[in-house]
C-alpha cells in the first residue's frame, strides 16, 4: 500500500475560542481544529484510521474496504485518504442508492461503492459477512464501521502531543481537561489512554446513553491495560442521534457568528451546547482551561441542510 513513509500526521491548529458565556464564567477554552488538517481529509476520522492503515500495510493489503451511511464522515475521510495517497478504496453503503453530496465526493475521490440495502447492512456484524467481499476484493483490508476499537483509539493518542506542543503559543502552561463529542467513544478512549489520568476527558454523547458508549470505552481502556483512567460521559444527544431542535440550531448560528468557527448539528454543535449548559450550571471553577476538540463533520452538514431543509 502506498502510504507516506511515516504515517502522515497533520497538525491541527489550536486556537482560543472566544464566546461571551465563557468570558462571563471566567473559563478559557482552546479549540483544536481537526476540521482544518487538510483540504481533502477532515476531522477525527483520519486519526482513527492511521493504525488501521498501518495494519493493512503490514498485512500486505493494497487498499481498504469499509462501511457507512450516505452522509458518513468515516467513508468520506477514507475515500479522501485513498485519493490523497493513491490507494484503492471500496465503500459498502447502508440503504439504497442516494445522491447526497457525500456520495458525490466518494465517487469523485474514486471510491467504488456498493449499496447493501438496509437488511444487507444490518448483517454487517454476522460472522460470514466479509467473506464474499474478501473474495471479490482479495487485496483490500476490511476496516470496521467507524474505524473503532483499540487501533482506532491508539490512532487518536497523538492528539495530546499535538496540543501540548501548541500550548506555549497560546500563552497557556497547562490545561484542566478535554471536552469533545462522542459517537462510539473511540476518540475519547484515545485521549484517555494518552492522558493516563493526567487530565480528565469529558465526552459529550451525541447518541443516547443506551448505545453502549460507556462499555465500549471501558473495553478499550481495559484492552490497553490502563488503570486510573479519568473520564466522564455527559448526555448531549438532545433526544437522539441526528435529532435537532430550534434551540440547538440557533445556538450554532450564534456561536458561528461570534467565533467565526463553523459547526455542524450532530456532533460539534451539540458538544458545545452541552459545555455551555455545564458551564452555566457552575460545573467548572473560575480559571478552568479546557481543550475543546473540533472533530470535523462539516462535509456531512451539506447533506443535512438539503435533507432537513
Ligand atoms: C465520528 C465523529 C465523532 C465521534 O467520534 P467517536 O470516535 O466515534 O466517538 C465526533 N464528531 C464528528 C464530527 C464525527 O464525525
Amino acid at each position: 500500500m502506498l502510504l507516506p513513509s511515516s504515517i502522515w500526521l497533520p497538525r491541527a491548529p489550536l486556537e482560543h475560542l472566544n464566546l461571551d458565556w465563557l468570558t462571563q464564567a471566567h473559563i478559557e477554552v482552546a479549540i483544536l481544529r481537526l476540521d482544518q488538517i487538510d483540504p481533502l481529509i477532515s476531522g477525527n476520522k483520519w486519526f482513527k484510521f492511521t493504525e488501521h492503515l498501518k495494519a493493512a500495510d503490514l498485512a500486505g493489503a493494497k487498499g481498504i474496504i469499509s462501511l457507512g451511511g450516505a452522509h458518513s464522515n468515516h467513508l468520506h475521510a477514507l475515500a479522501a485518504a485513498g485519493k490523497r495517497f493513491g490507494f484503492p478504496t471500496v465503500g459498502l453503503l447502508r440503504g439504497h442508492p442516494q445522491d447526497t453530496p457525500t456520495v458525490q465526493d466518494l465517487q469523485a475521490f474514486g471510491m467504488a461503492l456498493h449499496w447493501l440495502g438496509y437488511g444487507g447492512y444490518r448483517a454487517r456484524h454476522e460472522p460470514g459477512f466479509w467473506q464474499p467481499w474478501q473474495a471479490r476484493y482479495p487485496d483490500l483490508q476490511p476496516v470496521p464501521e467507524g474505524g473503532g476499537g483499540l487501533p482506532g483509539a491508539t490512532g487518536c493518542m497523538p492528539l495530546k502531543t499535538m496540543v501540548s506542543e501548541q500550548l506555549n503559543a497560546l500563552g497557556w502552561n497547562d490545561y484542566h481537561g478535554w471536552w469533545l463529542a462522542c459517537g462510539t467513544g473511540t476518540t475519547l478512549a484515545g485521549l484517555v489512554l494518552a492522558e493516563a489520568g493526567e487530565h480528565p476527558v469529558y465526552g459529550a454523547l451525541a447518541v443516547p446513553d443506551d448505545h453502549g458508549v460507556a462499555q465500549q470505552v471501558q473495553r478499550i481502556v481495559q484492552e490497553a491495560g490502563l488503570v486510573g483512567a479519568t473520564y466522564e460521559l455527559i448526555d448531549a444527544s438532545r433526544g437522539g442521534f441526528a435529532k435537532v431542535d430550534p434551540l440547538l440550531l440557533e445556538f450554532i448560528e450564534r456561536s458561528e457568528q461570534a467565533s467565526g468557527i463553523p459547526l455542524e448539528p450532530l456532533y460539534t454543535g451539540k458538544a458545545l451546547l452541552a459545555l455551555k449548559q455545564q458551564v452555566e450550571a457552575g460545573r467548572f471553577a473560575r480559571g478552568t482551561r479546557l481543550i475543546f476538540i473540533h472533530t470535523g463533520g462539516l462535509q456531512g452538514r451539506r447533506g443535512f441542510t438539503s435533507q432537513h431543509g
Side-chain angles (χ1 to χ4, degrees):
M1 206 158 126
L2 271 177
L3 285 179
S5 49
S6 66
I7 283 261
W8 172 77
L9 273 184
R11 173 183 276 200
L14 183 69
E15 304 167 352
H16 286 287
L17 179 64
N18 296 313
L19 292 166
D20 53 5
W21 49 271
L22 288 169
T23 315
Q24 278 154 22
H26 299 273
I27 286 165
E28 288 183 86
V29 171
I31 181 166
L32 183 67
R33 302 285 307 270
L34 299 188
D35 59 315
Q36 294 208 325
I37 53 177
D38 181 83
L40 283 188
I41 309 170
S42 167
N44 61 334
K45 298 299 185 287
W46 163 256
F47 295 89
K48 293 172 71 173
F49 264 122
T50 52
E51 292 299 312
H52 289 289
L53 292 181
K54 282 186 202 166
D57 208 14
L58 278 178
K62 300 222 160 36
I64 302 283
I65 179 167
S66 194
L67 324 108
H71 304 279
S72 167
N73 294 326
H74 165 77
L75 286 184
H76 197 272
L78 174 60
K83 163 103 177 149
R84 186 84 155 67
F85 302 120
F87 60 83
T89 57
V90 173
L92 306 180
L93 282 114
R94 175 175 42 226
H96 304 293
Q98 279 184 63
D99 194 27
T100 66
T102 305
V103 168
Q104 287 169 10
D105 278 358
L106 299 182
Q107 286 166 332
F109 293 153
M111 178 177 259
L113 305 183
H114 298 280
W115 295 86
L116 303 189
Y118 291 97
Y121 197 82
R122 266 195 302 275
R124 67 195 179 281
H125 302 303
E126 285 170 17
F129 176 82
W130 285 105
Q131 248 163 32
W133 296 110
Q134 281 179 302
R136 180 160 180 177
Y137 296 108
D139 291 340
L140 303 193
Q141 168 108 344
V143 168
E145 187 186 30
L150 182 57
T154 306
C156 297
M157 291 177 68
L159 295 177
K160 176 174 160 67
T161 311
M162 192 181 293
V163 159
S164 303
E165 287 172 354
Q166 297 185 73
L167 284 179
N168 270 346
L170 210 66
W172 291 15
N173 48 21
D174 201 2
Y175 54 92
H176 300 100
W178 298 80
W179 190 280
L180 75 156
C182 291
T184 61
T186 310
T187 308
L188 172 131
L191 292 168
V192 168
L193 296 183
E195 287 288 354
E198 203 182 329
H199 300 103
V201 187
Y202 300 97
L205 289 175
V207 297
D209 279 341
D210 60 6
H211 277 224
V213 180
Q215 292 85 336
Q216 163 86 358
V217 173
Q218 188 70 19
R219 210 175 307 130
I220 295 175
V221 166
Q222 269 170 6
E223 201 180 332
L226 173 69
V227 281
T230 46
Y231 63 94
E232 187 183 324
L233 301 175
I234 294 121
D235 186 0
S237 68
R238 306 186 68 78
F241 180 64
K243 284 229 170 93
V244 299
D245 54 88
L247 194 148
L248 172 71
L249 294 177
E250 198 185 302
F251 169 75
I252 289 174
E253 199 177 315
R254 259 187 294 125
S255 307
E256 288 181 336
Q257 276 167 7
S259 67
I261 296 171
L263 301 167
E264 46 65 57
L266 305 193
Y267 293 104
T268 49
K270 282 185 179 176
L272 189 62
L273 180 50
L275 176 59
K276 178 172 185 268
Q277 288 166 343
Q278 294 283 316
V279 163
E280 287 176 351
R283 170 71 201 254
F284 296 107
R286 290 162 77 102
T288 299
R289 287 173 163 169
L290 296 173
I291 308 289
F292 181 96
I293 304 190
H294 192 311
T295 41
L298 298 171
Q299 70 81 23
R301 183 171 73 159
R302 302 166 305 173
F304 198 84
T305 314
S306 55
Q307 193 183 28
H308 297 264

